[in-house]
Amino acid sequence: MSSFKITGGRRLKGELQPQGAKNEALQILCAVLLTAEPVTIHNIPSIRDVNQLIDLLGDLGVRRTMISDSSIRFEAGDVNTDYMESESFKQKAAALRGSVMLLGPMLARFRKGRIPRPGGDKIGRRRLDTHFLGFEKLGAEFSYTQEDGGFYRVDAKNLKGTYMLLDEASVTGTANLLMAAVMAEGTTTIYNAACEPYLQQLCKMLNRMGAKISGVGSNLLTIEGVEELHGTEHTMLPDMIEIGSFIGLAAMTQSEITIKNCQVPMLGVIPDVFRRLGINLEIRGDDIYVPAQEHYRIDSYLDGSTLTVADAPWPGFTPDLLSIVLVTATQAQGTVLIHQKMFESRLFFVDKLIEMGAQIILCDPHRATVIGLNRETQLRGIRMTSPDIRAGVALLIAALSGRGVSIIDNIEQIDRGYQHIDTRLNAIGAEIIRL
């Protein structure tokens, strides 16, 4: 297990280029299985989760040709479906939450899919019912065995288009069902579909491959099945979670940072939420400039009541940035209620922030009230452990803003979602040593 040793209290200055979007990459990479023709993907982030999925595709027989550091050409002309029954596949796929999205394309093209119970962040219950209920509506048969920690099997001789109303607007569930439906017989309608930019990107890519998807960007998708898909070229969006993390980092460390090539129109309410925390930021073309700020003040509602920042399905605020908003608020002037609706364990990292000197009341597993210190008291360095990707980066931001030295253990969690984060931040003035 690796660790970061962070010397806090340093002001940063410079430019940061966000990586390709992690959550988009996991969907797009699974989609290469839908065709035997070459598919070239650009702006692939070099992070643990994505690299593990690329290796898993290679084990399935997908040929990979490196074009550049962030571009790969994939050819899934000779996929070994029997590998899905192997012990090696069970172990590798179980370690990766995104592996569940292999099911949709495998079912569409090869009429069968296998997946062990997937891993990922330990942030609470993350059910898969939406995926399998949707597959069954398309005509697939689903079975589950508890041996070896749980194994899911989906088989379908012939997928048929249907109407389905998803029980939740699941991003991965929508992506999985979309990929299964593009080669189903007839028309499929998915209502209450997730409509995040990641899904919009996937829909656009599939349409370029020959799919017939309408309603892109809405929660009502209509898919007319086609017999086959073709090769294409696709460039991923910059990672909106990393962009939000850098905004919070700049505010907490009183740093002047320019975030380059942000695809600002695809960020939704993210810039406005940080503005409500009192953070000045300027949109300069497609860049976001965050000036060094001595103080920032949290807005209140018009009636004077305490601001609430809560997650919601897109175009609401993404749950992946609530940890960043929470840590950023610890040095603001004012009070904010953070309401994490989706996951019941994602706020438990606040005990480490409290130990560092933050004033936070954990109301229940879903809500925390942050009373900003307004820089009257600086956070202090401690030793802590990263419980998940987003909490890990929130703790890293806290350590960079605090006084003294902090140690963050289990940084493999951070590496799952942030590409060479220590190297990139050190280049603009941070002091992070990887142990």
Side-chain angles (χ1 to χ4, degrees):
M1 184 172 68
S2 300
S3 304
F4 280 153
K5 179 182 178 182
I6 304 110
T7 301
R10 297 170 66 98
R11 296 197 182 195
L12 316 182
K13 185 174 183 178
E15 296 180 350
L16 289 169
Q17 176 76 41
Q19 66 190 29
K22 167 185 178 283
N23 290 338
E24 179 185 343
L26 298 176
Q27 302 173 24
I28 295 298
L29 290 170
C30 290
V32 305
L33 290 165
L34 286 165
T35 179
E37 297 180 17
V39 176
T40 302
I41 310 296
H42 302 290
N43 201 25
I44 300 173
S46 180
I47 53 179
R48 286 172 61 95
D49 277 16
V50 170
N51 292 336
Q52 285 177 348
L53 181 57
I54 291 171
D55 288 344
L56 195 57
L57 289 171
D59 291 338
L60 281 164
V62 179
R63 292 178 57 192
R64 300 155 294 165
T65 303
M66 293 295 301
I67 299 173
S68 71
D69 288 343
S70 61
S71 299
I72 302 176
R73 182 171 63 248
F74 297 88
E75 293 180 69
D78 189 20
V79 176
N80 178 17
T81 58
D82 292 337
Y83 178 70
M84 293 186 294
E85 303 285 356
S86 70
E87 191 61 35
S88 172
F89 177 76
K90 292 178 185 178
Q91 291 178 2
K92 291 182 179 182
L96 179 64
R97 180 77 188 175
S99 63
V100 70
M101 285 182 287
L102 294 170
L103 286 174
M106 293 296 290
L107 192 61
R109 187 168 162 212
F110 302 106
R111 298 307 190 230
K112 69 175 183 177
R114 305 282 185 268
I115 204 76
R117 184 190 295 275
D121 285 332
K122 305 304 180 185
I123 54 177
R125 186 173 60 95
R126 305 174 78 181
R127 60 191 181 87
L128 297 174
D129 301 52
T130 304
H131 302 247
F132 297 111
L133 290 172
F135 290 145
E136 287 183 325
K137 288 191 175 182
L138 289 170
E141 295 182 357
F142 162 66
S143 62
Y144 172 73
T145 56
Q146 292 188 340
E147 292 84 9
D148 301 323
F151 203 70
Y152 301 96
R153 288 179 168 83
V154 189
D155 296 279
K157 293 180 180 178
N158 188 24
L159 296 175
K160 292 186 179 293
T162 186
Y163 168 85
M164 61 179 80
L165 173 61
L166 303 189
D167 60 337
E168 63 173 348
S170 164
V171 176
T172 56
T174 302
N176 230 347
L177 297 174
L178 182 66
M179 289 187 282
V182 288
M183 287 197 283
E185 179 185 338
T187 300
T188 300
T189 303
I190 305 177
Y191 201 17
N192 195 30
C195 53
E196 272 78 356
Y198 316 130
L199 258 302
Q200 297 176 39
Q201 286 282 96
L202 177 63
C203 290
K204 292 172 185 176
M205 173 182 166
L206 293 174
N207 280 343
R208 289 197 304 273
M209 294 171 72
K212 296 180 179 179
I213 305 166
S214 58
V216 178
S218 76
N219 68 345
L220 179 59
L221 295 175
T222 302
I223 306 104
E224 296 179 36
V226 297
E227 289 188 3
E228 64 177 352
L229 296 181
H230 306 286
T232 190
E233 198 163 340
H234 180 82
T235 300
M236 286 191 249
L237 291 172
D239 195 308
M240 68 172 73
I241 313 305
E242 194 168 69
I243 292 168
S245 301
F246 292 155
I247 294 172
L249 169 69
M252 279 287 281
T253 59
Q254 300 170 276
S255 299
E256 180 185 349
I257 293 176
T258 299
I259 310 166
K260 302 292 290 182
N261 304 317
C262 294
Q263 293 275 349
V264 174
M266 304 300 284
L267 294 178
V269 300
I270 290 172
D272 289 334
V273 169
F274 283 101
R275 286 188 177 111
R276 297 213 70 177
L277 295 182
I279 298 169
N280 294 327
L281 53 92
E282 300 174 22
I283 308 300
R284 297 179 172 179
D286 215 20
D287 301 342
I288 297 177
Y289 170 71
V290 188
Q293 288 182 249
E294 293 299 319
H295 300 280
Y296 48 101
R297 181 173 183 172
I298 299 170
D299 281 350
S300 57
Y301 290 114
L302 292 177
D303 62 0
S305 57
T306 299
L307 177 70
T308 297
V309 178
D311 58 334
W314 189 268
F317 191 64
T318 172
D320 282 346
L321 276 174
L322 279 182
S323 301
I324 308 301
V325 168
L326 188 151
V327 74
T328 304
T330 62
Q331 286 295 355
Q333 179 184 352
T335 301
V336 63
L337 175 66
I338 305 297
H339 191 174
Q340 167 60 267
K341 298 176 182 177
M342 190 170 295
F343 303 113
E344 63 269 17
S345 304
R346 213 169 202 174
L347 296 179
F348 288 166
F349 78 101
V350 302
D351 62 332
K352 297 303 179 186
L353 296 178
I354 294 169
E355 189 178 342
M356 296 177 80
Q359 293 188 7
I360 304 171
I361 301 168
L362 186 60
C363 309
D364 56 46
H366 292 276
R367 296 177 301 160
T369 300
V370 184
I371 303 162
L373 298 171
N374 194 25
R375 303 203 194 278
E376 293 176 5
T377 304
Q378 195 175 8
L379 300 181
R380 57 182 173 270
I382 63 168
R383 186 161 199 146
M384 44 198 160
T385 299
S386 171
D388 63 73
I389 300 173
R390 309 308 172 188
V393 169
L395 295 174
L396 177 61
I397 292 171
L400 287 166
S401 72
R403 68 176 189 272
V405 174
S406 294
I407 303 291
I408 301 179
D409 297 319
N410 194 30
I411 59 169
E412 287 80 6
Q413 286 285 358
I414 299 174
D415 289 336
R416 287 180 50 221
Y418 291 80
Q419 175 178 313
H420 312 310
I421 189 68
D422 50 336
T423 304
R424 294 157 71 200
L425 295 185
N426 286 343
I428 61 169
E431 188 175 332
I432 306 170
I433 300 173
R434 183 179 290 259
L435 306 177

